[in-house]
Amino acid sequence: MTRIAILGSTGSIGTSALSVVDTHPDRLEVVALAAGNNVQLFAGQVAKYRPRVAALASLEGAAALKARCDASVAIAAGAEGLVAVATCADADIVLCASSGTSPLETVLLLHPGLEPRVEEPAATLTAVEPGEGSLRLRAPNRF
């Protein structure tokens, strides 16, 4: 079982990644999620995938999410939340599926020995595989 953390789970790439998880529930497990400010969609994702850690960009969003989640999910906000998801000890892979460079910069700062590389030309997801010392771009059908 491969355990995944996703930065940007409510965007188009993040939702596509979660579709891959849905297709391969025997092989993939979501252990951490981070999103911007779409509390409604994110709350549904948290309820469905039951990650150990969930983070939203704002304190207000995190407070609204906390009111909708059970106590087993650790809720975080802002940059600290992004770091909590990106460093989730249970994650085998961190997918940086967020727009902008801030989440990717956070991942690279947390894993300074990574060397970016493209796994295949049609790649659409960014995957950090700790221990391999590389940053891979993976297509959803490659999981």
Side-chain angles (χ1 to χ4, degrees):
M1 178 76 65
T2 301
R3 299 167 303 176
I4 302 174
I6 300 175
L7 307 174
S9 67
T10 59
S12 61
I13 293 172
T15 55
S16 292
L18 290 172
S19 293
V20 173
V21 171
D22 293 341
T23 303
H24 301 285
D26 57 324
R27 297 175 60 196
L28 302 169
E29 176 189 6
V30 175
V31 295
L33 292 172
N37 290 304
N38 189 337
V39 177
Q40 184 173 345
L41 177 57
F42 192 62
Q45 291 175 344
V46 170
K48 180 175 182 177
Y49 298 101
R50 306 182 59 77
R52 294 162 184 81
V53 181
L56 279 167
S58 71
L59 289 172
E60 297 81 13
L65 179 65
K66 192 169 192 169
R68 297 179 184 195
C69 293
D70 66 49
S72 68
V73 179
I75 307 296
E80 295 83 14
L82 189 62
V83 169
V85 170
T87 60
C88 179
D90 295 328
D92 299 312
I93 295 175
V94 177
L95 299 176
C96 187
S98 181
S99 62
T101 60
S102 177
L104 182 56
E105 290 169 2
T106 299
V107 170
L108 291 172
L109 284 172
L110 294 170
H111 302 282
L114 294 176
E115 295 179 20
R117 71 176 189 227
V118 175
E119 188 169 286
E120 61 181 70
T124 59
L125 299 177
T126 305
V128 174
E129 299 188 15
E132 289 190 9
S134 66
L135 180 66
R136 291 184 179 178
L137 299 180
R138 290 187 147 191
N141 63 351
R142 297 284 299 183
F143 287 99

